Amino acid sequence: MTDMHLAHVLDSVNPALNFSVFVAFVLVTLVIVFRASRNSKTAADYYAAGRSFSGAQNGLAIAGDYLSAASFLGICGAIAVNGYDGFLYSIGFLVAWLVALLLVAELMRNTAKFTMGDVLAFRMRQRPIRAAAALSTLAVSFFYLLAQMAGAGGLVNLLLGIEGEAAQNAIIATVGVVMILYVLIGGMRGTTWVQIIKAALLIAGAGGMTLWVLGMYGFNFSAVLADAVSMEGGKGEALLAPGAQYGINALTKLDFLSLGLALVLGTAGLPHVLMRFYTVPTAKEARRSVVWAIGLIGLFYLFTLVLGYAAGAMVGAEDISSAPGGVNSAAPLLALALGGPVLLGFIAAVAFATILAVVAGLTITASASFAHDIYSNVIKKGKTAPGSEVRVARITSLVIGAVAIVGGIFAKEQNVAFLVALAFAVAASANLPTILYTLFWKRFNTQGALWSIYGGLITTITLIVFSPAVSGSEKAMFPDLDFAFFPLSNPGIISIPLSFFLGWLGTMLSSEHDAKKHAEMEVRSLTGAGAEKAVSH
């Protein structure tokens, strides 16, 4: 298989089979979502699935939320093309869970609320904090949605054999419509079951391919590495050592440090991950769900190491880079090399299922934040008619779906792992400092929270817009334009410390402080006392 050429690869694709498997997945999951929707009557049902999932179920759902198109498509491609440096994405994504487990998961669950805005507003002025938290949630969700939709558009030519811009755009629109159906019909309960099914399929598919590859090489991973190194058109020995992508000069090393900070600190600030902690009944189950998630995600990332190098060895970095979808096509091309059109059909369905499930989770998080924080608590000041909040959430999901479709069409040529890294940068800069200060700093107040959220958000987005990722380079979003002045592709190394500093400065320049509310929140977050009462309301 090492001399397989791209033309032969594309001729081997069976679009009808791929499409059939994908449609079967969608139909089965829609039935499950419809059955789950019969229990989604209240806001707690719609936002938090009635807090009815066990730690193991929620851990699998978290893995489903977290193992996005970036994890499966982008990282496998990054490893195939850049070797060791590509695997650093996996390391960052996995290590980040320790921050979530040790500092955030249990404490967030004990507040027994629906959104990040609930936690931040517990001891501060409601309306400005909720507005800021909702805006930040929408920004993170938008970048993450772009990544998933880009993955869908980049795969369509390869998996369905359809050529042209219009075909890619149509597939992106289809993904968006199905995603909206999941959210409208099933709410959090329905999307959680979709995540569980998708995670099981993804881990099983990746595990099966890993065993297949290792079996072909006599379970000798060194032989896989040797073939990847010797593959014509690749980077040779550079694949096995640091530096193929981020070690070229001092600037790329600094860019990697910035990326690493964003990946490790961003997870604990991702709104769609934080919202998962509210779907379990107790803090103990929240801890268990994170432990399950760490185990499953760690296992999957070990699979990506084998699959990435195997794609480099059996397909070749040159063919991967020139295929429709670019580096995102590494895993599907490897499936085709291993098992032909049938395995490609299954992996294609899993890839699309991955995208569908994650965008559904992001959409319900963003719509919940707008409906619960902006509509219910800012516009209506907490005085909403029964059912109106959930109705607004469903309407919002339609708008978010439309925005995601349009954004995905414009971003379809981007590397999905890179787009997700930008989402992590926003989460690490705008959300995490405020969450940690709120949970652990007694003196923290409304002004500090606003300065931290808006400062981190504005700084991150500004530096991204004026970075080489958007203009001024061949791989930029707008390669023909050049308005970049910030030299790094990921702004985390600047925006994260700045957000922490602004939170501290804003707090120190304000005399506002509610010691009683902080004490109440501290007791609740550390012990869970009062949490069940909040659930009953």
Side-chain angles (χ1 to χ4, degrees), residues 360-407:
L362 287 164
T363 302
I364 194 167
T365 300
S367 61
S369 183
F370 179 85
H372 184 64
D373 292 323
I374 300 293
Y375 172 75
S376 179
N377 287 286
V378 174
I379 297 175
K380 293 294 186 179
K381 301 180 182 178
K383 300 174 183 176
T384 55
S388 63
E389 190 177 312
V390 173
R391 186 170 63 252
V392 169
R394 288 191 162 113
I395 294 170
T396 306
S397 68
L398 290 172
V399 177
I400 292 167
V403 171
I405 290 169
V406 174

Side-chain angles (χ1 to χ4, degrees), residues 98 130 255 311 335 356 424 438 535:
L98 296 177
R130 287 188 183 277
D255 210 359
L356 273 176
F424 274 68
T438 301
V535 172

